[in-house]
Amino acid sequence: MPVTKTSFKIAILAVVLVGVAVAAGRLEAQDPRTLLQQGIQAFNDFDPDRALPLLRRGVNPTTGARDSLWAVGVQYVVQTLFDQGQVAQAGVWARWGMRLAPTMRLDEINLVSEVVDSLEAGRAAAAAQPGDALTTTAYSWPSGDPGGGQGRVDITPMALPVPVDVLVLGGGVVIAGRGLGLAPGSYVIRASAQGFQTVEVTREVLPGVTTVVSFGPRGEPHGTPLWHRCRLRCRRPRGTQRTSAHDVQCRARRRPGGCHARAAACDPERARRGVRCGR
């Protein structure tokens, strides 16, 4: 049968439609909720080799909501790793998940008691720290299963007038854009600069994932991160005698135009004596 122009066009159109359908199927497979649903189903079917890669891809916090489905996915990652004898790595994932969602409810029906204990220990270890208010954390997830091996810590550049040193205790110095390869675990990350308050936070390093830490108050540009120390002086009104407590140290936020003292710089007793705070 001879090939006509019409039949040729139909054949080309069919190939295009098949390609679109295949691409759509791949995109659907990349959807985090689909990955989580498939991973949970594989977990319930006692197929850990299929469940774990799907779950580790599905719990990527940059692509989906941290809802109840996400929480179940994290817990099943911990359970599957525990079942495979990777207890230390299961603990890292437990602390990581609890740091992101400390109020998550545990599926105590499908989790063994040791995993429940590990998750509760992760909840306690991930309790809020003073440095949390001065940092934001993001994650760079691979396109496929993070798998095993090392993870990385990186930082965003900070536009300060002085050099900033960022150190991972027990790991090494972190240089923005280069990062630092580390074994999976929980690490204290310390940022320090002359004239600024040192900030420390604890963050998890997951295998195959880059943890990116930004130092600076949330919602403010990175040009004014950390806390600046200002020396303030309690001034005495004219005609009053000098007391021994005129010089005080106050912490203040560094803002364009100078430092603003906290109201607590002078205690009530000094205020009663007429001593006021000033620069």
Side-chain angles (χ1 to χ4, degrees), residues 130-136 155-167 189-201 213-230 251-256 258-259 262:
D132 290 340
L134 304 178
T135 59
T136 55
I155 57 173
T156 56
M158 290 172 279
L160 287 180
V162 294
V164 179
D165 297 321
V166 178
L167 175 68
I189 305 172
R190 175 186 296 163
S192 59
Q194 185 176 4
F196 290 79
Q197 179 186 352
T198 298
V199 177
E200 287 188 357
V201 293
V213 181
S214 303
F215 291 92
R218 290 184 179 88
E220 294 194 10
H222 294 297
T224 57
L226 312 184
W227 288 79
H228 192 62
R229 295 177 184 268
C230 296
R251 285 185 182 179
R253 197 80 167 266
R254 187 172 189 264
R255 298 184 183 280
C259 298
R262 289 183 177 180

Side-chain angles (χ1 to χ4, degrees), residues 1 23 30 78-79 96 102 209 240 253:
M1 179 179 177
Q30 297 294 326
V78 177
Q79 177 68 67
W96 172 82
V209 176
T240 61
R253 197 80 167 266

Side-chain angles (χ1 to χ4, degrees), residues 70-94:
W70 178 89
V72 171
V74 172
Q75 294 171 45
Y76 286 5
V77 167
V78 177
Q79 177 68 67
T80 304
L81 289 171
F82 182 85
D83 291 341
Q84 294 179 348
Q86 302 182 60
V87 178
Q89 195 170 130
V92 176
W93 280 92

Side-chain angles (χ1 to χ4, degrees), residues 129-185:
Q129 305 168 296
D132 290 340
L134 304 178
T135 59
T136 55
T137 308
Y139 299 93
S140 179
W141 222 261
S143 57
D145 175 23
Q150 283 194 327
R152 297 187 69 79
V153 167
D154 203 352
I155 57 173
T156 56
M158 290 172 279
L160 287 180
V162 294
V164 179
D165 297 321
V166 178
L167 175 68
V168 177
L169 303 189
V173 176
V174 184
I175 299 176
R178 296 185 185 178
L180 177 68
L182 295 165

Side-chain angles (χ1 to χ4, degrees), residues 49-80:
D49 292 336
R50 181 169 178 265
L52 188 57
L54 291 167
L55 292 170
R56 284 191 296 214
R57 292 169 62 194
V59 297
N60 179 356
T62 64
T63 59
R66 300 174 197 172
D67 55 11
S68 59
L69 185 68
W70 178 89
V72 171
V74 172
Q75 294 171 45
Y76 286 5
V77 167
V78 177
Q79 177 68 67
T80 304

Side-chain angles (χ1 to χ4, degrees), residues 94-95 98 101-106 118-127:
R95 294 190 295 276
M98 285 300 183
T103 61
M104 76 164 69
R105 298 180 60 180
L106 300 185
S118 177
L119 287 161
E120 290 294 359
R123 195 195 306 274

